[in-house]
Amino acid sequence: MELRHLRYFLAVAEELHFARAAERLHIEQSPLSRAIRELEEELGIVLLVRTTRSTRLTRAGKLFLEHVRRIFAALQQARDSVKAAANGFHGQLRVALSDGITPSRLPALLALCRQEEPEVELRFFEVPLSQQIKGLHDDLYDVGFAQSQEVGEGVITIPAWSDALMVAVPVRHPLLVHKRIPLEELLRYPLVLCDSQVCEGHAKHVERILRRADMEPLIAERVTTCGLMMALVSAGFALGLAGETQIVASREMGVVARPLASRVPPLTTYLLRLAGEPSDELARFIARVQGTELSESASSTLGHGPDTGGS
């Protein structure tokens, strides 16, 4: 088995079309088909079922695809590590980000990391929560951030920071007569929410809060980024639910943030890592995350929090 066999299989498995896969690989179809046959013969199992109308993965093919993707991810990380070493870095932390983590939380942390440990390279990967958890177990990531504690066995969650969950309201909307918006009033209007496949932790948190009311929410749209959510809210398309920091970071002038009338738990971002003793580099990174949150909390206590239009 050669690396080209895996690369060819990956292209066919993702395209599910031999002609498109061959075009993607810049080769003819015949050597592509021959390579797939060689791979199946070596494994002694059928990976792809090909007919005149379609190409599909067998159950074994789907399982093999997961392993092949991990192989190429590991190869890419090996390349990146070598380049990092050549550029003067003496260590690396691979950080996974899920649930649309607020970018405004990262600059202070990154600046502190560069100041205190410039020889350690930080690499970031935006992935769904399920992929992050799998990547932590498969040693593709060293640490991650997500808005969920439902991570299964073997993964430790540490609260990193919290945001008040706010309603994003278009300016001049009738709900702005309320300083704090009742949940029943909120549910009289269409909502734009985060997609549960991309922002799993965020979506589950919001869903639990919406279930408190005996009303079915009207979901106008599900989006993959907070930026798009705020754009739709600003346009008057719907109302949104997001963390206070996310709303402020969007800088949408046509959006006002208001709290809910009922007390709701904050939207907490957790640091995720595998159970066991962390490396020295990871331990120092965790300490910086916790120190950054403490300094932000102190600033908020002193009255430097953002104006959310709730006064």
Side-chain angles (χ1 to χ4, degrees):
M1 187 185 302
E2 300 174 14
L3 196 57
R4 68 180 177 87
H5 290 107
L6 302 183
R7 188 170 66 252
Y8 289 2
F9 169 75
L10 181 63
V12 176
E14 290 181 344
E15 299 291 342
L16 291 179
H17 193 282
F18 273 77
R20 287 198 299 268
E23 184 178 352
R24 169 174 154 180
L25 294 164
H26 305 292
I27 62 172
E28 297 295 326
Q29 282 193 58
S30 55
L32 176 60
S33 298
R34 185 165 58 251
I36 297 299
R37 283 198 303 272
E38 291 171 356
L39 180 60
E40 289 179 323
E41 287 172 3
E42 178 159 343
L43 292 171
I45 197 163
V46 176
L47 300 171
L48 292 149
V49 175
R50 184 181 185 183
T51 68
T52 54
R53 292 193 172 190
S54 67
T55 299
R56 65 178 178 84
L57 286 164
T58 63
R59 185 177 178 182
K62 292 177 182 178
L63 179 61
F64 190 63
L65 176 60
E66 292 182 17
H67 289 286
V68 170
R69 281 176 170 156
R70 287 202 293 273
I71 288 169
F72 280 105
L75 283 171
Q76 184 59 50
Q77 289 189 6
R79 292 190 189 99
D80 293 339
S81 295
V82 170
K83 289 179 182 177
N87 290 330
F89 292 107
H90 301 300
Q92 185 183 79
L93 281 177
R94 302 159 297 173
V95 185
L97 304 173
S98 303
D99 294 328
I101 298 304
T102 309
S104 63
R105 295 285 188 172
L106 295 177
L109 174 61
L110 296 180
L112 190 59
C113 290
R114 291 192 66 180
Q115 176 185 335
E116 295 185 354
E117 215 163 4
E119 70 278 6
V120 176
E121 182 190 32
L122 294 179
R123 300 196 61 237
F124 293 91
F125 306 84
E126 292 186 282
V127 295
L129 177 58
S130 58
Q131 188 175 330
Q132 177 182 153
I133 294 169
K134 190 171 183 60
L136 287 169
H137 284 292
D138 291 341
D139 193 31
L140 294 179
Y141 315 123
D142 301 299
V143 65
F145 292 97
Q147 292 170 341
S148 177
Q149 285 185 294
E150 300 172 19
V151 294
E153 295 183 3
V155 176
I156 294 172
T157 59
I158 303 169
W161 55 74
S162 294
D163 280 326
L165 184 69
M166 308 287 280
V167 183
V169 188
V171 294
R172 295 183 294 278
H173 192 279
L175 277 183
L176 291 179
V177 300
H178 300 282
K179 294 291 182 67
R180 303 180 71 87
I181 298 175
L183 185 56
E184 292 75 13
E185 290 296 316
L186 171 71
L187 293 177
R188 296 181 189 276
Y189 297 91
L191 302 175
V192 53
L193 303 178
C194 287
D195 185 271
S196 58
Q197 297 297 314
V198 178
C199 305
E200 182 180 333
H202 184 287
K204 285 183 176 179
H205 183 81
V206 170
E207 183 183 336
R208 282 192 289 267
I209 291 168
L210 296 180
R211 281 204 302 261
R212 292 182 176 186
D214 192 23
M215 295 175 64
E216 192 68 25
L218 174 60
I219 312 300
E221 191 68 68
R222 290 192 180 273
V223 297
T224 58
T225 67
C226 185
L228 179 55
M229 178 191 290
M230 293 306 111
L232 294 176
V233 171
S234 180
F237 185 77
L239 305 174
L241 280 163
E244 180 179 11
T245 309
Q246 291 177 308
I247 297 174
V248 173
S250 73
R251 300 183 182 277
E252 282 287 349
M253 300 301 293
V255 177
V256 177
R258 286 284 165 85
L260 286 164
S262 56
R263 186 179 295 274
V264 298
L267 192 61
T268 299
T269 295
Y270 298 91
L271 180 146
L272 278 59
R273 70 171 181 86
L274 282 185
E277 192 68 25
S279 67
D280 291 342
E281 290 169 350
L282 180 53
R284 290 191 293 270
F285 178 80
I286 294 170
R288 290 188 201 107
V289 170
Q290 294 174 317
T292 302
E293 172 61 9
L294 285 173
S295 63
E296 288 196 3
S297 298
S299 296
S300 178
T301 302
L302 291 171
H304 300 303
D307 179 7
T308 59
S311 58

